[in-house]
Amino acid sequence: MRTLTVNSAVLKKLAATLGLVMVCASAWALTDKQLADVESRIQPAGKVCLQGDNACGAAVASVGGAAKSGEEVYKSSCQGCHASGAGNAPKFGDVADWGKRAEQGLDTVYKHAIEGFSNIGMMPAKGLCMSCSDDEVMAAVDYILENSK
Ligand code: HEC
């Protein structure tokens, strides 16, 4: 008889536990908003944004769109060479080197950045940022010069 009472007590506990599990399971169903929140948290950090695409928050700048700042262009297209001085690129912040280049006149420096230039190294046209407008490349040159004097 004793074992029976124990068993029914165990059964009661089991039923209570099962009930709890079921309550939890129904609470597990997420609302749409929670789902959207979770999805936004787990999406890849480096999302690819195409020109004219609104998926990344602000529209990616395109012709006639909002221009990228000099700093943005520098960081995405120029610092690969100009931060380290790779391939004889004048180094960002090198006052003497940029000072000499600025002496040719700003127009020439802009032109070299836009069309490319090769004397002691190879400066590719627009630093290979083919989607950059001339103005954006010039803004990047301004940003470099501003921080190298
Ligand atoms: C692949 C490497 C590379 C990238 C990317 C690059 N540059 Fe250069 N850049 C160079 C090199 C090398 C030189 C030096 C060329 C020389 O003096 O012969 C140079 C020189 C320059 C000069 C000096 C031109 C002159 O008249 O002396 C400017 C201005 C310039 N780069 C701007 C930029 C800007 C703005 C970007 C980004 C939009 C950029 N560069 C991206 C390698 C690069």
Side-chain angles (χ1 to χ4, degrees):
M1 276 321 254
R2 195 154 177 258
T3 36
L4 254 181
T5 33
V6 169
N7 276 348
S8 72
V10 168
L11 275 176
K12 268 187 194 159
K13 268 193 192 161
L14 205 71
T17 315
L18 268 177
L20 205 70
V21 167
M22 276 160 74
V23 170
C24 288
S26 62
W28 190 251
L30 299 174
T31 63
D32 282 354
K33 184 177 178 317
Q34 285 169 324
L35 255 180
D37 284 352
V38 170
E39 275 169 5
S40 74
R41 277 198 298 271
I42 61 177
Q43 75 184 350
K47 208 168 160 190
V48 176
C49 308
L50 300 177
Q51 241 183 25
D53 193 349
N54 285 320
C56 301
V60 176
S62 56
V63 182
K68 281 176 282 194
S69 73
E71 184 177 358
E72 282 166 343
V73 174
Y74 172 75
K75 287 189 170 150
S76 58
S77 307
C78 321
Q79 71 175 0
C81 296
H82 286 280
S84 62
N88 284 331
K91 232 172 137 174
F92 185 87
D94 185 330
V95 178
D97 201 345
W98 284 106
K100 269 186 279 163
R101 292 172 190 272
E103 276 170 21
Q104 322 168 81
L106 256 187
D107 285 348
T108 308
V109 181
Y110 286 147
K111 187 171 183 275
H112 286 164
I114 293 165
E115 294 174 4
F117 174 66
S118 182
N119 179 22
I120 55 164
M122 173 64 202
M123 166 63 203
K126 288 187 172 179
L128 297 175
C129 179
M130 289 310 148
S131 65
C132 289
S133 67
D134 288 0
D135 282 347
E136 286 168 337
V137 174
M138 288 191 277
V141 174
D142 289 342
Y143 175 74
I144 296 172
L145 290 175
E146 214 34 59
N147 288 281
S148 308
K149 63 181 186 190

